[in-house]
Amino acid sequence: QAQLVESGGGSVQPGGSLTLSCRASRSIFSESAMAWYRQAPGKQREWVAIITDRTTHYADFVRGRFIGSRDDAENTVYLQMNSLESEDTAVYYCNSGAEPNTWGQGTQVTVSS
């Protein structure tokens, strides 16, 4: 069964850091592209980063603060989030380029003083 499981979210103060993880089932882990998205309350889901086997691209609003990485042996992608801002508060999801219609439950990130 295709599955994505995100973890690592939590509550932090502005300026803090968190590292998210997303483990995918082997059937949908894309060795070409895995992506992170987020959805803030009352807003549409938006793309955050895409991690390929060669490079990582970021949305402008996280570039320089977030770092994406992957462990293909573990079918896992990571999102290291630094210098967090209140605007980063959202549920974060990962997504597979091989199975773009499959979503996990997400992990909640709350940035608040």
Side-chain angles (χ1 to χ4, degrees):
Q1 180 179 359
Q3 191 174 23
L4 293 161
V5 180
E6 300 93 344
S7 62
S11 296
V12 295
Q13 294 185 340
S17 299
L18 283 172
T19 298
L20 308 183
S21 301
C22 170
R23 186 176 181 93
S25 55
R26 181 171 294 277
S27 64
I28 64 169
F29 184 80
S30 173
E31 294 184 351
S32 60
M34 294 290 292
W36 284 97
Y37 289 78
R38 70 185 187 185
Q39 187 166 17
K43 295 186 177 181
Q44 290 187 334
R45 190 170 298 182
E46 60 183 358
W47 169 75
V48 174
I50 186 168
I51 305 164
T52 74
D53 56 349
R54 297 182 180 182
T55 188
T56 303
H57 297 281
Y58 302 95
D60 288 344
F61 51 80
V62 303
R63 188 175 294 117
R65 300 188 297 123
F66 290 11
I67 302 172
S69 62
R70 60 192 292 154
D71 184 339
D72 289 354
E74 295 294 328
N75 299 333
T76 301
V77 292
Y78 302 93
L79 187 67
Q80 180 182 338
M81 305 187 298
N82 303 310
S83 302
L84 284 162
E85 305 168 351
S86 58
E87 293 79 9
D88 295 318
T89 295
V91 179
Y92 284 72
Y93 301 88
C94 66
N95 185 258
S96 164
E99 195 69 40
N101 294 323
T102 298
W103 296 92
Q105 83 291 347
T107 186
Q108 175 71 48
V109 172
T110 302
V111 184
S112 174
S113 56

